PDB file of all heavy atoms in Angstrom:
ATOM      1  N   TYR A 446     -20.494 -20.527 -22.927  1.00 97.00           N
ATOM      2  CA  TYR A 446     -20.674 -19.702 -24.119  1.00 97.00           C
ATOM      3  C   TYR A 446     -20.991 -20.514 -25.375  1.00 97.00           C
ATOM      4  O   TYR A 446     -21.062 -19.961 -26.468  1.00 97.00           O
ATOM      5  CB  TYR A 446     -19.448 -18.797 -24.345  1.00 97.00           C
ATOM      6  CG  TYR A 446     -19.288 -17.798 -23.226  1.00 97.00           C
ATOM      7  CD1 TYR A 446     -18.587 -18.124 -22.072  1.00 97.00           C
ATOM      8  CD2 TYR A 446     -19.883 -16.544 -23.307  1.00 97.00           C
ATOM      9  CE1 TYR A 446     -18.474 -17.224 -21.027  1.00 97.00           C
ATOM     10  CE2 TYR A 446     -19.770 -15.634 -22.264  1.00 97.00           C
ATOM     11  CZ  TYR A 446     -19.066 -15.983 -21.125  1.00 97.00           C
ATOM     12  OH  TYR A 446     -18.964 -15.086 -20.090  1.00 97.00           O
ATOM     13  N   ALA A 447     -21.202 -21.809 -25.231  1.00 97.00           N
ATOM     14  CA  ALA A 447     -21.578 -22.641 -26.371  1.00 97.00           C
ATOM     15  C   ALA A 447     -23.081 -22.522 -26.614  1.00 97.00           C
ATOM     16  O   ALA A 447     -23.876 -22.538 -25.677  1.00 97.00           O
ATOM     17  CB  ALA A 447     -21.202 -24.094 -26.118  1.00 97.00           C
ATOM     18  N   THR A 448     -23.469 -22.408 -27.879  1.00 97.00           N
ATOM     19  CA  THR A 448     -24.879 -22.330 -28.236  1.00 97.00           C
ATOM     20  C   THR A 448     -25.428 -23.732 -28.488  1.00 97.00           C
ATOM     21  O   THR A 448     -24.739 -24.731 -28.283  1.00 97.00           O
ATOM     22  CB  THR A 448     -25.079 -21.476 -29.502  1.00 97.00           C
ATOM     23  OG1 THR A 448     -24.551 -22.190 -30.637  1.00 97.00           O
ATOM     24  CG2 THR A 448     -24.391 -20.125 -29.382  1.00 97.00           C
ATOM     25  N   SER A 449     -26.650 -23.807 -28.974  1.00 96.00           N
ATOM     26  CA  SER A 449     -27.287 -25.086 -29.272  1.00 96.00           C
ATOM     27  C   SER A 449     -26.724 -25.730 -30.536  1.00 96.00           C
ATOM     28  O   SER A 449     -27.028 -26.889 -30.827  1.00 96.00           O
ATOM     29  CB  SER A 449     -28.805 -24.882 -29.435  1.00 96.00           C
ATOM     30  OG  SER A 449     -29.063 -23.920 -30.456  1.00 96.00           O
ATOM     31  N   VAL A 450     -25.909 -24.984 -31.278  1.00 97.00           N
ATOM     32  CA  VAL A 450     -25.326 -25.494 -32.525  1.00 97.00           C
ATOM     33  C   VAL A 450     -23.881 -25.904 -32.265  1.00 97.00           C
ATOM     34  O   VAL A 450     -23.109 -25.124 -31.686  1.00 97.00           O
ATOM     35  CB  VAL A 450     -25.381 -24.424 -33.637  1.00 97.00           C
ATOM     36  CG1 VAL A 450     -24.730 -24.935 -34.923  1.00 97.00           C
ATOM     37  CG2 VAL A 450     -26.830 -24.018 -33.891  1.00 97.00           C
ATOM     38  N   PRO A 451     -23.474 -27.081 -32.639  1.00 96.00           N
ATOM     39  CA  PRO A 451     -22.099 -27.530 -32.413  1.00 96.00           C
ATOM     40  C   PRO A 451     -21.072 -26.543 -32.950  1.00 96.00           C
ATOM     41  O   PRO A 451     -21.231 -26.001 -34.040  1.00 96.00           O
ATOM     42  CB  PRO A 451     -22.030 -28.869 -33.160  1.00 96.00           C
ATOM     43  CG  PRO A 451     -23.449 -29.351 -33.169  1.00 96.00           C
ATOM     44  CD  PRO A 451     -24.297 -28.125 -33.302  1.00 96.00           C
ATOM     45  N   LYS A 452     -20.060 -26.287 -32.165  1.00 96.00           N
ATOM     46  CA  LYS A 452     -18.904 -25.427 -32.398  1.00 96.00           C
ATOM     47  C   LYS A 452     -19.246 -23.957 -32.685  1.00 96.00           C
ATOM     48  O   LYS A 452     -18.403 -23.207 -33.144  1.00 96.00           O
ATOM     49  CB  LYS A 452     -17.999 -26.009 -33.501  1.00 96.00           C
ATOM     50  CG  LYS A 452     -18.427 -25.882 -34.943  1.00 96.00           C
ATOM     51  CD  LYS A 452     -17.331 -26.464 -35.847  1.00 96.00           C
ATOM     52  CE  LYS A 452     -17.624 -26.257 -37.313  1.00 96.00           C
ATOM     53  NZ  LYS A 452     -16.569 -26.836 -38.175  1.00 96.00           N
ATOM     54  N   VAL A 453     -20.473 -23.562 -32.368  1.00 98.00           N
ATOM     55  CA  VAL A 453     -20.867 -22.153 -32.480  1.00 98.00           C
ATOM     56  C   VAL A 453     -21.072 -21.595 -31.076  1.00 98.00           C
ATOM     57  O   VAL A 453     -21.851 -22.145 -30.282  1.00 98.00           O
ATOM     58  CB  VAL A 453     -22.151 -21.986 -33.313  1.00 98.00           C
ATOM     59  CG1 VAL A 453     -22.595 -20.516 -33.323  1.00 98.00           C
ATOM     60  CG2 VAL A 453     -21.920 -22.469 -34.736  1.00 98.00           C
ATOM     61  N   PHE A 454     -20.382 -20.499 -30.778  1.00 98.00           N
ATOM     62  CA  PHE A 454     -20.426 -19.868 -29.469  1.00 98.00           C
ATOM     63  C   PHE A 454     -21.018 -18.462 -29.606  1.00 98.00           C
ATOM     64  O   PHE A 454     -21.111 -17.921 -30.700  1.00 98.00           O
ATOM     65  CB  PHE A 454     -19.010 -19.784 -28.874  1.00 98.00           C
ATOM     66  CG  PHE A 454     -18.368 -21.127 -28.625  1.00 98.00           C
ATOM     67  CD1 PHE A 454     -17.858 -21.878 -29.689  1.00 98.00           C
ATOM     68  CD2 PHE A 454     -18.268 -21.639 -27.349  1.00 98.00           C
ATOM     69  CE1 PHE A 454     -17.266 -23.112 -29.468  1.00 98.00           C
ATOM     70  CE2 PHE A 454     -17.676 -22.871 -27.113  1.00 98.00           C
ATOM     71  CZ  PHE A 454     -17.185 -23.612 -28.175  1.00 98.00           C
ATOM     72  N   ALA A 455     -21.400 -17.873 -28.489  1.00 98.00           N
ATOM     73  CA  ALA A 455     -21.968 -16.524 -28.506  1.00 98.00           C
ATOM     74  C   ALA A 455     -21.486 -15.756 -27.282  1.00 98.00           C
ATOM     75  O   ALA A 455     -21.327 -16.334 -26.192  1.00 98.00           O
ATOM     76  CB  ALA A 455     -23.491 -16.568 -28.533  1.00 98.00           C
ATOM     77  N   ALA A 456     -21.255 -14.451 -27.457  1.00 98.00           N
ATOM     78  CA  ALA A 456     -20.783 -13.618 -26.357  1.00 98.00           C
ATOM     79  C   ALA A 456     -21.195 -12.174 -26.583  1.00 98.00           C
ATOM     80  O   ALA A 456     -21.557 -11.772 -27.690  1.00 98.00           O
ATOM     81  CB  ALA A 456     -19.254 -13.712 -26.225  1.00 98.00           C
ATOM     82  N   GLY A 457     -21.106 -11.392 -25.519  1.00 97.00           N
ATOM     83  CA  GLY A 457     -21.423  -9.972 -25.609  1.00 97.00           C
ATOM     84  C   GLY A 457     -22.917  -9.717 -25.628  1.00 97.00           C
ATOM     85  O   GLY A 457     -23.714 -10.525 -25.133  1.00 97.00           O
ATOM     86  N   ASP A 458     -23.307  -8.606 -26.225  1.00 97.00           N
ATOM     87  CA  ASP A 458     -24.720  -8.230 -26.252  1.00 97.00           C
ATOM     88  C   ASP A 458     -25.581  -9.270 -26.954  1.00 97.00           C
ATOM     89  O   ASP A 458     -26.767  -9.406 -26.649  1.00 97.00           O
ATOM     90  CB  ASP A 458     -24.894  -6.877 -26.949  1.00 97.00           C
ATOM     91  CG  ASP A 458     -24.409  -5.717 -26.095  1.00 97.00           C
ATOM     92  OD1 ASP A 458     -23.852  -5.972 -25.010  1.00 97.00           O
ATOM     93  OD2 ASP A 458     -24.573  -4.559 -26.512  1.00 97.00           O
ATOM     94  N   MET A 459     -25.009 -10.018 -27.889  1.00 96.00           N
ATOM     95  CA  MET A 459     -25.778 -11.042 -28.591  1.00 96.00           C
ATOM     96  C   MET A 459     -26.189 -12.162 -27.644  1.00 96.00           C
ATOM     97  O   MET A 459     -27.212 -12.809 -27.847  1.00 96.00           O
ATOM     98  CB  MET A 459     -24.973 -11.595 -29.765  1.00 96.00           C
ATOM     99  CG  MET A 459     -25.731 -12.603 -30.610  1.00 96.00           C
ATOM    100  SD  MET A 459     -24.935 -12.915 -32.199  1.00 96.00           S
ATOM    101  CE  MET A 459     -25.510 -11.528 -33.169  1.00 96.00           C
ATOM    102  N   ARG A 460     -25.417 -12.363 -26.577  1.00 97.00           N
ATOM    103  CA  ARG A 460     -25.728 -13.413 -25.610  1.00 97.00           C
ATOM    104  C   ARG A 460     -26.458 -12.873 -24.381  1.00 97.00           C
ATOM    105  O   ARG A 460     -27.437 -13.466 -23.921  1.00 97.00           O
ATOM    106  CB  ARG A 460     -24.442 -14.114 -25.153  1.00 97.00           C
ATOM    107  CG  ARG A 460     -24.708 -15.387 -24.352  1.00 97.00           C
ATOM    108  CD  ARG A 460     -23.517 -15.772 -23.476  1.00 97.00           C
ATOM    109  NE  ARG A 460     -23.330 -14.822 -22.393  1.00 97.00           N
ATOM    110  CZ  ARG A 460     -24.004 -14.880 -21.249  1.00 97.00           C
ATOM    111  NH1 ARG A 460     -24.914 -15.828 -21.040  1.00 97.00           N
ATOM    112  NH2 ARG A 460     -23.782 -13.982 -20.312  1.00 97.00           N
ATOM    113  N   ARG A 461     -26.002 -11.727 -23.847  1.00 96.00           N
ATOM    114  CA  ARG A 461     -26.555 -11.232 -22.593  1.00 96.00           C
ATOM    115  C   ARG A 461     -27.540 -10.083 -22.761  1.00 96.00           C
ATOM    116  O   ARG A 461     -28.177  -9.647 -21.808  1.00 96.00           O
ATOM    117  CB  ARG A 461     -25.438 -10.798 -21.637  1.00 96.00           C
ATOM    118  CG  ARG A 461     -24.624  -9.613 -22.105  1.00 96.00           C
ATOM    119  CD  ARG A 461     -23.572  -9.205 -21.061  1.00 96.00           C
ATOM    120  NE  ARG A 461     -24.185  -8.545 -19.924  1.00 96.00           N
ATOM    121  CZ  ARG A 461     -24.142  -8.990 -18.677  1.00 96.00           C
ATOM    122  NH1 ARG A 461     -23.486 -10.093 -18.395  1.00 96.00           N
ATOM    123  NH2 ARG A 461     -24.724  -8.342 -17.697  1.00 96.00           N
ATOM    124  N   GLY A 462     -27.665  -9.562 -23.987  1.00 95.00           N
ATOM    125  CA  GLY A 462     -28.533  -8.421 -24.204  1.00 95.00           C
ATOM    126  C   GLY A 462     -27.774  -7.118 -24.037  1.00 95.00           C
ATOM    127  O   GLY A 462     -26.585  -7.098 -23.717  1.00 95.00           O
ATOM    128  N   GLN A 463     -28.483  -6.024 -24.247  1.00 95.00           N
ATOM    129  CA  GLN A 463     -27.873  -4.697 -24.169  1.00 95.00           C
ATOM    130  C   GLN A 463     -27.125  -4.515 -22.859  1.00 95.00           C
ATOM    131  O   GLN A 463     -27.652  -4.739 -21.784  1.00 95.00           O
ATOM    132  CB  GLN A 463     -28.965  -3.633 -24.294  1.00 95.00           C
ATOM    133  CG  GLN A 463     -28.498  -2.211 -24.069  1.00 95.00           C
ATOM    134  CD  GLN A 463     -29.659  -1.247 -23.980  1.00 95.00           C
ATOM    135  OE1 GLN A 463     -30.766  -1.550 -24.376  1.00 95.00           O
ATOM    136  NE2 GLN A 463     -29.414  -0.061 -23.442  1.00 95.00           N
ATOM    137  N   SER A 464     -25.871  -4.086 -22.946  1.00 95.00           N
ATOM    138  CA  SER A 464     -25.068  -3.942 -21.743  1.00 95.00           C
ATOM    139  C   SER A 464     -23.941  -2.948 -21.978  1.00 95.00           C
ATOM    140  O   SER A 464     -23.926  -2.223 -22.981  1.00 95.00           O
ATOM    141  CB  SER A 464     -24.512  -5.306 -21.309  1.00 95.00           C
ATOM    142  OG  SER A 464     -23.991  -5.247 -20.004  1.00 95.00           O
ATOM    143  N   LEU A 465     -22.960  -2.942 -21.081  1.00 96.00           N
ATOM    144  CA  LEU A 465     -21.858  -1.994 -21.123  1.00 96.00           C
ATOM    145  C   LEU A 465     -20.688  -2.531 -21.941  1.00 96.00           C
ATOM    146  O   LEU A 465     -20.519  -3.745 -22.097  1.00 96.00           O
ATOM    147  CB  LEU A 465     -21.376  -1.702 -19.701  1.00 96.00           C
ATOM    148  CG  LEU A 465     -22.412  -1.189 -18.692  1.00 96.00           C
ATOM    149  CD1 LEU A 465     -21.787  -1.102 -17.307  1.00 96.00           C
ATOM    150  CD2 LEU A 465     -22.968   0.155 -19.139  1.00 96.00           C
ATOM    151  N   VAL A 466     -19.838  -1.614 -22.404  1.00 97.00           N
ATOM    152  CA  VAL A 466     -18.633  -2.001 -23.127  1.00 97.00           C
ATOM    153  C   VAL A 466     -17.754  -2.897 -22.257  1.00 97.00           C
ATOM    154  O   VAL A 466     -17.174  -3.884 -22.729  1.00 97.00           O
ATOM    155  CB  VAL A 466     -17.857  -0.749 -23.587  1.00 97.00           C
ATOM    156  CG1 VAL A 466     -16.447  -1.118 -24.036  1.00 97.00           C
ATOM    157  CG2 VAL A 466     -18.600  -0.050 -24.717  1.00 97.00           C
ATOM    158  N   VAL A 467     -17.660  -2.588 -20.968  1.00 98.00           N
ATOM    159  CA  VAL A 467     -16.811  -3.376 -20.092  1.00 98.00           C
ATOM    160  C   VAL A 467     -17.350  -4.806 -19.945  1.00 98.00           C
ATOM    161  O   VAL A 467     -16.571  -5.769 -19.844  1.00 98.00           O
ATOM    162  CB  VAL A 467     -16.655  -2.681 -18.715  1.00 98.00           C
ATOM    163  CG1 VAL A 467     -17.968  -2.643 -17.949  1.00 98.00           C
ATOM    164  CG2 VAL A 467     -15.564  -3.350 -17.892  1.00 98.00           C
ATOM    165  N   TRP A 468     -18.669  -4.982 -19.975  1.00 98.00           N
ATOM    166  CA  TRP A 468     -19.231  -6.331 -19.951  1.00 98.00           C
ATOM    167  C   TRP A 468     -18.921  -7.057 -21.260  1.00 98.00           C
ATOM    168  O   TRP A 468     -18.679  -8.275 -21.276  1.00 98.00           O
ATOM    169  CB  TRP A 468     -20.735  -6.286 -19.716  1.00 98.00           C
ATOM    170  CG  TRP A 468     -21.117  -6.339 -18.272  1.00 98.00           C
ATOM    171  CD1 TRP A 468     -21.606  -5.329 -17.503  1.00 98.00           C
ATOM    172  CD2 TRP A 468     -21.015  -7.477 -17.412  1.00 98.00           C
ATOM    173  NE1 TRP A 468     -21.820  -5.755 -16.221  1.00 98.00           N
ATOM    174  CE2 TRP A 468     -21.469  -7.076 -16.131  1.00 98.00           C
ATOM    175  CE3 TRP A 468     -20.592  -8.784 -17.590  1.00 98.00           C
ATOM    176  CZ2 TRP A 468     -21.502  -7.942 -15.047  1.00 98.00           C
ATOM    177  CZ3 TRP A 468     -20.629  -9.655 -16.502  1.00 98.00           C
ATOM    178  CH2 TRP A 468     -21.089  -9.231 -15.250  1.00 98.00           C
ATOM    179  N   ALA A 469     -18.933  -6.336 -22.368  1.00 98.00           N
ATOM    180  CA  ALA A 469     -18.611  -6.952 -23.657  1.00 98.00           C
ATOM    181  C   ALA A 469     -17.179  -7.472 -23.656  1.00 98.00           C
ATOM    182  O   ALA A 469     -16.900  -8.579 -24.143  1.00 98.00           O
ATOM    183  CB  ALA A 469     -18.824  -5.946 -24.783  1.00 98.00           C
ATOM    184  N   ILE A 470     -16.256  -6.675 -23.127  1.00 98.00           N
ATOM    185  CA  ILE A 470     -14.859  -7.107 -23.061  1.00 98.00           C
ATOM    186  C   ILE A 470     -14.737  -8.355 -22.193  1.00 98.00           C
ATOM    187  O   ILE A 470     -14.042  -9.315 -22.549  1.00 98.00           O
ATOM    188  CB  ILE A 470     -13.970  -5.969 -22.525  1.00 98.00           C
ATOM    189  CG1 ILE A 470     -13.955  -4.800 -23.513  1.00 98.00           C
ATOM    190  CG2 ILE A 470     -12.544  -6.468 -22.279  1.00 98.00           C
ATOM    191  CD1 ILE A 470     -13.265  -3.552 -22.984  1.00 98.00           C
ATOM    192  N   ARG A 471     -15.411  -8.356 -21.056  1.00 97.00           N
ATOM    193  CA  ARG A 471     -15.377  -9.544 -20.187  1.00 97.00           C
ATOM    194  C   ARG A 471     -15.892 -10.773 -20.923  1.00 97.00           C
ATOM    195  O   ARG A 471     -15.268 -11.854 -20.880  1.00 97.00           O
ATOM    196  CB  ARG A 471     -16.218  -9.307 -18.932  1.00 97.00           C
ATOM    197  CG  ARG A 471     -16.391 -10.569 -18.069  1.00 97.00           C
ATOM    198  CD  ARG A 471     -17.506 -10.393 -17.059  1.00 97.00           C
ATOM    199  NE  ARG A 471     -17.808 -11.659 -16.397  1.00 97.00           N
ATOM    200  CZ  ARG A 471     -17.418 -11.991 -15.173  1.00 97.00           C
ATOM    201  NH1 ARG A 471     -16.658 -11.161 -14.497  1.00 97.00           N
ATOM    202  NH2 ARG A 471     -17.764 -13.148 -14.649  1.00 97.00           N
ATOM    203  N   GLU A 472     -17.033 -10.626 -21.586  1.00 97.00           N
ATOM    204  CA  GLU A 472     -17.624 -11.768 -22.284  1.00 97.00           C
ATOM    205  C   GLU A 472     -16.715 -12.261 -23.400  1.00 97.00           C
ATOM    206  O   GLU A 472     -16.580 -13.466 -23.615  1.00 97.00           O
ATOM    207  CB  GLU A 472     -18.999 -11.376 -22.832  1.00 97.00           C
ATOM    208  CG  GLU A 472     -20.033 -11.095 -21.769  1.00 97.00           C
ATOM    209  CD  GLU A 472     -21.167 -12.108 -21.767  1.00 97.00           C
ATOM    210  OE1 GLU A 472     -21.530 -12.577 -22.861  1.00 97.00           O
ATOM    211  OE2 GLU A 472     -21.684 -12.436 -20.674  1.00 97.00           O
ATOM    212  N   GLY A 473     -16.100 -11.335 -24.123  1.00 98.00           N
ATOM    213  CA  GLY A 473     -15.186 -11.736 -25.188  1.00 98.00           C
ATOM    214  C   GLY A 473     -14.012 -12.534 -24.654  1.00 98.00           C
ATOM    215  O   GLY A 473     -13.613 -13.556 -25.237  1.00 98.00           O
TER     216      GLY A 473
END
Side-chain angles (χ1 to χ4, degrees):
Y446 295 87
T448 70
S449 57
V450 178
K452 76 177 185 181
V453 176
F454 297 76
D458 287 5
M459 184 165 278
R460 191 202 69 83
R461 65 177 287 119
Q463 173 190 343
S464 193
L465 304 174
V466 166
V467 67
W468 270 108
I470 295 172
R471 172 195 171 102
E472 293 246 325

